[in-house]
């Protein structure tokens, strides 16, 4: 493979990363960390190929099929086998390489400090895998230029959207854990399952289009699939940029020992320890303890329910809460002495007091 084909194998990944960096809220990111994520993800192509071979062998042993079409009596059996293979083997294995690259290397890293960073690191983990795979496919093809062009507009965006999607939900998950907002939820798992399905269906459509004689249906389905993929890329980048938040906030520094974790550097944790000893935390994910950082997750005891409802109402509608007005001073209409608001008789002169509006009270300054 000459240098031009090598450049064409790398260029699509570079273009996607440039677009993502152009939309970043914080432009400066540690390039060494990004390079390590990209390289480790690229190296994971090797174990992925081994696991896919093992998965194919297991399918042949238990299902009785073979990925080569010559062993199938009809097209339907072949396509069913391919669908199962690409979803249950290829999709799970390749997306797991990206998922665990992000999970083990990036997720608890201190440089992952903004939710948009999930898009950047997720794309790096996906495009590292896709770039090496792309170079291998181009080098083995007889028509290298055609393969390079097709994979630039089809396969590379597919890998990019799965990494971007998982990265977006990794950023959301880390923000929740480090700010104690529904910390037990794991939205990145949903993103992984969805990425497996997208990857498997795309590979299945591409294989079916090349195997079936009637290619028009498969071509239309593949075009619709690619429109969905490009729309998801744009949508994820837009939402991540619009809803970007700093991850390390007040809760991290006040309740998770953030200053100590920053001094130790490197990795951070939502359950921090220092030489095996847990750092002090005032609020340990106890639903019966009020958490000022997430007041709506608090479940109060029954005797405090009324006060809690009032607190929630004030938090939800603060603009309608008005301070209590001071009571109008009251004086006796006969002698002008001050009296309490509940008195019916003047304690000074003993006469009965009639209920009057404040404007009907006499001018007491002249009675002094």
């Amino acid at each position: 493979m000459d240098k031009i084909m090598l450049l064409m194998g790398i260029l699509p990944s570079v273009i996607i990363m440039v677009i993502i960096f152009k939309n970043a809220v914080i432009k400066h990111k540690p390039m060494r960390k990004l390079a390590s994520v990209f390289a480790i993800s690229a190296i994971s192509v090797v174990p992925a190929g081994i696991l896919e071979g093992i998965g194919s062998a297991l399918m042949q042993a238990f299902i009785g099929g073979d990925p080569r079409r010559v062993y199938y009596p009809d097209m339907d059996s072949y396509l069913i086998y391919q669908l199962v293979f690409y979803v249950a083997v290829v999709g799970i294995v390749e997306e797991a390489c990206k998922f665990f690259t992000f999970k083990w290397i990036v997720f608890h890293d201190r440089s992952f400090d903004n939710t948009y960073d999930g898009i950047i690191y997720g794309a790096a983990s996906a495009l590292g895998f896709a770039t090496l795979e792309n170079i291998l496919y181009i080098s083995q093809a007889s028509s290298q230029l055609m393969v390079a062009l097709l994979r630039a507009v089809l396969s590379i965006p597919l890998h990019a959207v799965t990494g971007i999607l998982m990265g977006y939900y990794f950023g959301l998950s880390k923000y929740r854990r480090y700010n104690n907002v529904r910390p037990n939820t794991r939205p990145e798992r949903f993103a992984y399952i969805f990425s497996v399905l997208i990857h498997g269906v795309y590979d299945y459509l591409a294989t079916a289009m090349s195997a079936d004689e009637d290619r028009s249906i498969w071509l239309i389905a593949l075009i619709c699939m690619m429109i969905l993929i490009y729309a998801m890329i744009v949508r994820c980048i837009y939402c991540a940029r619009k809803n970007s938040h700093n991850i390390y906030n007040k809760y991290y520094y006040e309740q998770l020992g953030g200053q100590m974790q920053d001094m130790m550097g490197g990795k951070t944790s939502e359950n921090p320890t220092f030489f095996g000893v847990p750092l002090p935390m005032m609020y340990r994910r106890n639903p019966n303890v009020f958490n000022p950082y997430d007041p709506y997750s608090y479940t109060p005891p029954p005797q405090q329910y009324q006060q809690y409802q009032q607190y929630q109402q004030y938090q939800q509608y603060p603009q309608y809460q008005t301070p209590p007005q001071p009571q109008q001073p009251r004086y006796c209409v006969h002698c002008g002495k001050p009296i309490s608001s509940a008195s019916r008789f003047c304690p000074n002169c003993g006469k009965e007091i009639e209920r009057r509006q404040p404007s009907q009270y006499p001018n007491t300054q002249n009675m002094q």
Side-chain angles (χ1 to χ4, degrees):
M1 184 172 62
D2 57 9
K3 295 181 179 180
I4 297 178
M5 291 296 104
L6 179 62
L7 179 62
M8 291 188 67
I10 300 174
L11 187 60
S13 300
V14 174
I15 293 174
I16 294 175
M17 287 302 300
V18 168
I19 293 173
I20 292 173
F21 266 107
K22 284 290 185 180
N23 288 275
V25 179
I26 302 175
K27 303 296 183 181
H28 302 287
K29 283 294 153 191
M31 298 306 297
R32 182 177 297 180
K33 176 61 65 176
L34 280 172
S36 65
V37 171
F38 189 92
I40 293 172
S41 180
I43 295 171
S44 67
V45 170
V46 177
I50 297 173
L51 292 175
E52 288 175 12
I54 295 173
S56 178
L58 291 175
M59 286 189 64
Q60 294 177 39
F62 289 99
I63 300 179
D66 192 275
R68 291 170 292 181
R69 183 182 171 185
V70 294
Y71 287 91
Y72 289 91
D74 53 59
M75 177 60 67
D76 293 338
S77 301
Y78 173 73
L79 293 179
I80 291 173
Y81 179 89
Q82 293 297 329
L83 178 62
V84 175
F85 175 73
Y86 284 121
V87 174
V89 178
V90 177
I92 290 178
V93 170
E94 294 191 4
E95 297 308 318
C97 291
K98 307 170 192 175
F99 182 89
F100 289 108
T101 298
F102 197 115
K103 183 75 173 178
W104 292 339
I105 300 176
V106 178
F107 187 76
H108 289 290
D109 194 272
R110 185 62 179 84
S111 60
F112 183 16
D113 56 2
N114 189 281
T115 53
Y116 189 89
D117 294 350
I119 297 286
I120 298 175
Y121 290 114
S125 66
L127 294 174
F129 187 98
T131 301
L132 183 56
E133 184 186 62
N134 197 33
I135 293 172
L136 294 176
Y137 271 104
I138 294 173
S139 64
Q140 297 171 5
S142 57
S143 178
Q144 294 183 349
L145 179 61
M146 181 61 66
V147 172
L149 292 176
L150 288 176
R151 290 186 61 84
V153 297
L154 297 176
S155 299
I156 301 299
L158 166 75
H159 285 283
V161 74
T162 57
I164 289 171
L165 185 66
M166 286 191 286
Y168 175 79
Y169 282 100
F170 266 120
L172 182 63
S173 177
K174 185 170 183 178
Y175 177 82
R176 290 178 179 179
R177 295 194 207 181
Y178 282 79
N179 292 274
N180 203 26
V181 180
R182 292 183 290 170
N184 295 322
T185 57
R186 299 292 184 270
E188 68 273 16
R189 296 175 183 175
F190 159 77
Y192 169 72
I193 295 172
F194 191 70
S195 299
V196 169
L197 294 176
I198 291 178
H199 195 146
V201 171
Y202 165 81
D203 286 348
Y204 169 71
L205 292 176
T207 303
M209 186 181 66
S210 61
D212 198 351
E213 295 179 357
D214 186 11
R215 301 183 178 181
S216 58
I217 298 176
W218 303 110
L219 179 60
I220 293 172
L222 185 60
I223 292 174
C224 294
M225 182 80 178
M226 292 311 302
I227 292 174
L228 175 64
I229 287 173
Y230 280 103
M232 289 176 60
I233 291 175
V234 174
R235 182 65 179 173
C236 285
I237 294 176
Y238 172 77
C239 291
R241 178 179 174 83
K242 181 180 178 181
N243 302 316
S244 69
H245 300 284
N246 291 327
I247 292 173
Y248 301 110
N249 298 305
K250 187 176 181 181
Y251 180 81
Y252 170 73
Y253 286 102
E254 290 189 356
Q255 311 305 326
L256 301 183
Q259 292 182 349
M260 181 65 71
Q261 292 201 59
D262 290 349
M263 288 173 60
M264 291 187 287
K267 301 290 184 179
T268 59
S269 175
E270 69 270 22
N271 293 304
T273 60
F274 182 68
F275 291 103
V277 179
L279 293 177
M281 294 174 62
M282 292 177 60
Y283 306 103
R284 286 189 177 274
R285 295 181 190 166
N286 186 352
N288 295 323
V289 176
F290 177 71
N291 176 15
Y293 301 96
D294 187 18
Y296 298 104
S297 66
Y298 173 55
T299 304
Q303 63 271 19
Q304 299 180 7
Y305 188 71
Q306 184 177 2
Q307 293 85 345
Y308 176 66
Q309 277 189 323
Q310 295 175 356
Y311 173 79
Q312 278 191 319
Q313 184 179 6
Y314 178 77
Q315 291 291 323
Q316 191 172 5
Y317 306 106
Q319 65 272 23
Y320 299 115
Q321 305 296 322
T322 57
Q325 299 295 330
Q327 292 185 354
Q328 184 93 17
R330 194 168 174 224
Y331 300 91
C332 177
V333 297
H334 303 288
C335 62
K337 297 295 183 179
I339 57 175
S340 64
S341 59
S343 299
R344 292 184 57 193
F345 298 91
C346 178
N348 183 53
C349 64
K351 295 183 179 180
E352 185 177 3
I353 302 169
E354 297 179 359
R355 296 281 181 178
R356 298 184 180 182
Q357 298 296 328
S359 60
Q360 296 177 314
Y361 291 153
N363 188 355
T364 57
Q365 293 181 355
N366 298 327
M367 298 183 182
Q368 299 295 328

